[in-house]
Amino acid sequence: AITEAATMLTRASDDIGRASMLVLLTDGQPTVGELNTEEIIENAQRLLVGNHALFCLGFGYDVSFEFLEKLALRNGGFARRIYPEDDADHQLTSFFDEVAQPLMIDVNMEYGEIADVTQTAFSNYFNGSEVVVAGRFPGAPPSNFHVTVTGMGAQSALSLVEDFQVASLAAPEGFVERLWAYLTIKDLLNKERMTTDMEQGRQLKARALRMSLEYNFVTPLTSMVVVQSNALEEAPNVEAHDYMLLPGGGVVTARGHVPLIATAAVVFALVCFL
């Protein structure tokens, strides 16, 4: 199916500035043609060659969602699970509303002397969505920093060049750092899903786990244990990395209350509404 769809898209995608997308709907494992999931992923990358974004929708619980995530992420898209107990029509409508109006393709963001920048290249930018990039200054923050955003619009290439005053970007203490940590963990998990190198995958997962524990995020690598306040002393076996979220911006662990705000680094975030 992917081979045939890729051929059709290649024939129809001669116009400059056109967003080319492929949506795969499936309810289970591959049953016809190539059955090896790694071979399917490699074949899809070879056929789509970065020119067509692939989005995967998996219906039900028999589908290999890990396979669909890898397939979509390596081809500039994302995967969604369609839950059978909910309204499938509504879930499909929500997905198509999200991707129905692409405004830009091949979006790239470039910064000056910034370290540990999160994802800066995006295959598509859709109407109603947002692009958030975060990073850290390697030393003392400068008075301003340079940002360049490029992409392809419907008619021509687009470029936005701006200089931002750091002092004018003030945010609540700790908020931007946690935003950077959240986006970095998300990037690490996506890279771990995409890599074919087992050792690199272990390193990416280990770093994501360390950051999840450091910043108290519940992720696929951590767990959350909800405990009644009067039962904390009766739960000696609760690990320190199992958290209960509190309304006031903190967590409860077996070791007591841990604030969610950390102030170890100066970071920035740029939200682009194009």
Side-chain angles (χ1 to χ4, degrees):
I2 295 177
T3 301
E4 183 177 353
T7 302
M8 294 173 61
L9 283 174
T10 300
R11 292 172 180 170
S13 300
D14 295 332
D15 294 342
I16 186 171
R18 175 179 293 183
S20 180
M21 298 179 289
L22 187 157
V23 180
L24 174 67
L25 288 75
T26 178
D27 63 353
Q29 299 285 346
T31 57
V32 178
E34 179 61 65
L35 304 182
N36 184 292
T37 55
E38 289 300 325
E39 288 293 330
I40 293 175
I41 293 173
E42 291 183 7
N43 291 339
Q45 284 186 276
R46 177 176 53 82
L47 290 167
L48 301 178
V49 292
N51 295 326
H52 317 294
L54 175 61
F55 300 89
C56 299
L57 302 181
F59 290 77
Y61 297 103
D62 294 331
V63 69
S64 175
F65 194 68
E66 181 180 358
F67 159 61
L68 294 183
E69 278 191 313
K70 289 183 178 180
L71 184 61
L73 287 171
R74 292 191 190 180
N75 291 284
F78 56 78
R80 292 281 171 80
R81 190 190 294 275
I82 305 299
Y83 295 95
E85 66 269 19
D86 294 328
D87 186 348
D89 288 345
H90 176 71
Q91 294 176 76
L92 288 173
T93 299
S94 297
F95 164 75
F96 284 108
D97 286 344
E98 184 175 351
V99 302
Q101 299 182 56
L103 301 181
M104 295 178 65
I105 61 175
D106 298 330
V107 180
N108 286 277
M109 300 186 177
E110 299 178 5
Y111 302 91
E113 297 297 325
I114 305 299
D116 299 328
V117 180
T118 57
Q119 181 182 352
T120 58
F122 304 86
S123 299
N124 294 281
Y125 172 71
F126 298 102
N127 184 37
S129 66
E130 65 182 20
V131 172
V132 182
V133 177
R136 301 193 292 183
F137 295 111
S143 59
N144 61 74
F145 65 94
H146 189 74
V147 180
T148 301
V149 181
T150 60
M152 180 65 69
Q155 303 297 329
S156 62
L158 302 174
S159 179
L160 171 67
V161 180
E162 290 287 347
D163 286 309
F164 290 89
Q165 298 294 321
V166 174
S168 67
L169 301 176
E173 183 179 10
F175 169 77
V176 179
E177 182 177 359
R178 286 184 54 77
L179 174 63
W180 166 80
Y182 169 79
L183 293 174
T184 300
I185 293 170
K186 182 179 177 181
D187 284 354
L188 290 170
L189 292 175
N190 285 341
K191 290 177 181 177
E192 186 272 330
R193 295 185 185 103
M194 291 189 289
T195 185
T196 57
D197 187 317
M198 294 185 62
E199 179 59 30
Q200 183 184 38
R202 283 193 291 267
Q203 293 176 2
L204 291 167
K205 184 178 290 187
R207 186 184 173 198
L209 176 59
R210 287 195 301 270
M211 292 190 65
S212 299
L213 299 179
E214 178 182 356
Y215 289 93
N216 301 337
F217 283 119
V218 178
T219 70
L221 305 178
T222 57
S223 59
M224 180 176 68
V225 176
V226 179
V227 184
Q228 291 184 355
S229 58
N230 60 357
L232 288 175
E233 296 182 358
E234 302 174 6
N237 295 324
V238 176
E239 296 292 336
H241 57 270
D242 292 334
Y243 303 102
M244 183 179 87
L245 303 182
L246 295 179
V251 296
V252 167
T253 73
R255 297 180 182 177
H257 180 268
V258 180
L260 287 181
I261 295 179
T263 58
V266 178
V267 299
F268 74 91
L270 172 65
V271 181
C272 292
F273 301 92
L274 301 178

